[in-house]
Amino acid sequence: MEETTLDFNFWNLVTYDLGIDLGTSNTLVFIKGKGIMIREPSVVARQRKVTPAGNNIGQIIAIGSEAKKMLGKTPDMIEALRPLRDGVISDFDATEAMIKYYIGKIHHSHGVIPKIPRPKVVIGIPSGVTEVERRSVQEAALVAGAREAYLIEEPMAAAIGAGLPVMDPQGQLIIDVGGGTTEISVISLGGIVIERCLRVAGDEFDEAIINYVRLKHGLIIGTLTAEEIKLAIGSAVPYTTEKQFVARGRNMEKGLPQSLKLTSTEIREALAPVMTQIVNATIDTLEETPPELVADILRNGIVVAGGGALLHGIDKALSEATKMPVWIADDPLTCVVRGCGKVLDDEQLLRKVKVVGGLR
């Protein structure tokens, strides 16, 4: 992961505000006036130290890219984990440590911590989370050092980041395929009219590949290998020229290392059930959408954002199923965090699109 070196002039700023896409797979941080400065995997590695109450308070060893390298490779005294599952916090202590780490990383320059007020933070969250889950995200940010923490639903943030006219009286349909959730939302007049939040997304694509390779070929592979396969030859529609990938894992019967050549046709077959769920949810959302908004969507097209938008042919698969134009947002991975960054510059927009309730 390429790190960005912050200009020393940045530390002369009196205040700074942050937009954070706290994703299941990756965490991105936008600094007002500077752009996206941090892109790291949402992974934490720590020592195993469980209290009598059952809480793990082990020392943090690594966060981000370094921690991701440890997934599936740690000894008993160390655990590498993703503290967010399905877009929500599953391990509060690890999430708090991760947010604090990234805020601290922004604070530091040449070993000096400048006297800068604690930042105002806008965080993107899935639309389907509960009030308790919203409060846990907000509390994690406040405990980690934010002076104010506002929440914005990821579909709205993605639409703003993609440059859609969310405040206009016309329907916009955006599909945000992330790591833990797929958000399908119809937006008009600065609000979400119809929404669906599926806990089916990039992680389920990886799991589908793992299960397919194990059942069909008797080869056990890990999550990182499955992700490599998905990025290399995964697709929703056939390639013009089909691709191949050599996967390495452990043979189920013999228990020995084995290499296996997989084709993009096989991986497409493995991903088909997950794609079907996303397509069906999109169709169901359109069926519930008011006719006038459907007419707008037919004219404007469906927008796909998030890391899942990079799956080859996902736009064609959705277009064929819905009979509507579908296009991929520019730099779909960063749509949510760019949307969070835009509302930092517009207090009026923030007041309209922030999630009501939670902590202040």
Side-chain angles (χ1 to χ4, degrees):
M1 185 72 64
E2 184 176 328
E3 292 191 6
T4 305
T5 303
L6 300 182
D7 189 339
F8 185 76
N9 291 331
F10 167 74
W11 307 114
N12 295 327
L13 294 176
V14 177
T15 61
Y16 69 100
D17 297 328
L18 304 178
I20 300 177
D21 176 9
L22 196 62
T24 303
S25 299
N26 296 285
T27 296
L28 291 81
V29 181
F30 181 101
I31 303 177
K32 184 177 179 180
K34 304 298 288 187
I36 301 170
M37 307 304 285
I38 292 176
R39 303 187 193 199
E40 293 279 357
S42 300
V43 184
V44 174
R46 66 187 176 191
Q47 291 181 342
R48 293 182 186 272
K49 185 179 180 181
V50 181
T51 66
N55 299 318
N56 193 325
I57 58 171
Q59 180 181 356
I60 301 297
I61 298 173
I63 293 175
S65 299
E66 289 302 314
K68 186 175 181 179
K69 296 175 184 176
M70 303 179 188
L71 283 173
K73 304 177 181 179
T74 57
D76 290 340
M77 72 285 296
I78 298 174
E79 64 174 345
L81 71 153
R82 289 180 170 177
L84 294 106
R85 285 290 176 188
D86 300 327
V88 296
I89 294 176
S90 61
D91 190 310
F92 184 86
D93 292 333
T95 302
E96 178 193 327
M98 188 171 67
I99 297 175
K100 187 179 294 185
Y101 169 77
Y102 290 132
I103 292 178
K105 190 173 182 180
I106 292 168
H107 272 120
H108 286 73
S109 176
H110 305 290
V112 177
I113 303 178
K115 295 181 180 179
I116 299 177
R118 297 190 302 170
K120 178 174 74 176
V121 176
V122 175
I123 303 175
I125 60 169
S127 58
V129 300
T130 65
E131 180 65 25
V132 173
E133 290 167 337
R134 290 175 183 173
R135 290 176 66 88
S136 68
V137 173
Q138 216 167 9
E139 184 180 344
L142 293 171
V143 172
R147 74 176 187 275
E148 297 176 80
Y150 298 96
L151 306 180
I152 176 174
E153 292 177 322
E154 287 179 352
M156 180 63 74
I160 295 171
L164 301 184
V166 297
M167 302 306 297
D168 290 357
Q170 56 177 304
Q172 307 284 344
L173 177 56
I174 185 160
I175 304 174
D176 179 21
V177 187
T181 59
T182 295
E183 313 268 349
I184 306 169
S185 300
V186 177
I187 296 172
S188 178
L189 291 171
I192 296 178
V193 181
I194 302 289
E195 66 181 3
R196 257 185 171 75
C197 180
L198 301 179
R199 305 224 165 172
V200 171
D203 287 349
E204 278 63 38
F205 282 136
D206 296 340
E207 193 65 30
I209 292 173
I210 291 172
N211 292 335
Y212 181 90
V213 173
R214 184 181 72 250
L215 294 174
K216 185 171 181 178
H217 297 288
L219 184 70
I220 300 175
I221 60 174
T223 303
L224 296 182
T225 301
E227 185 179 15
E228 286 182 33
I229 295 170
K230 177 183 66 178
L231 295 175
I233 62 174
S235 69
V237 298
Y239 285 100
T240 304
T241 302
E242 296 295 348
K243 299 183 177 183
Q244 295 182 337
F245 184 92
V246 177
R248 295 175 176 84
R250 187 177 77 244
N251 184 281
M252 285 182 61
E253 293 183 3
K254 300 178 180 178
L256 298 175
Q258 178 185 343
S259 296
L260 175 68
K261 185 179 291 184
L262 297 169
T263 67
S264 53
T265 303
E266 290 180 295
I267 300 307
R268 186 164 54 254
E269 180 184 342
L271 300 179
V274 181
M275 269 303 306
T276 298
Q277 292 186 61
I278 295 173
V279 168
N280 289 342
T282 303
I283 294 173
D284 292 342
T285 303
L286 287 168
E287 289 177 350
E288 295 179 13
T289 303
E292 293 298 331
L293 293 179
V294 171
D296 293 336
I297 296 168
L298 183 58
R299 181 172 57 252
N300 298 326
I302 299 171
V303 181
V304 186
L310 301 177
L311 182 69
H312 173 77
I314 191 172
D315 52 342
K316 294 180 181 178
L318 288 166
S319 182
E320 289 174 3
T322 61
K323 310 303 179 187
M324 288 186 171
V326 178
W327 54 280
I328 305 297
D330 293 334
D331 196 4
L333 277 168
T334 66
C335 280
V336 172
V337 76
R338 283 188 285 121
C340 292
K342 285 183 179 181
V343 300
L344 286 172
D345 288 323
D346 192 333
E347 287 289 339
Q348 185 177 1
L349 181 60
L350 176 59
R351 285 196 297 271
K352 289 182 178 180
V353 302
K354 72 181 181 181
V355 175
V356 178
L359 306 171
R360 285 291 181 270

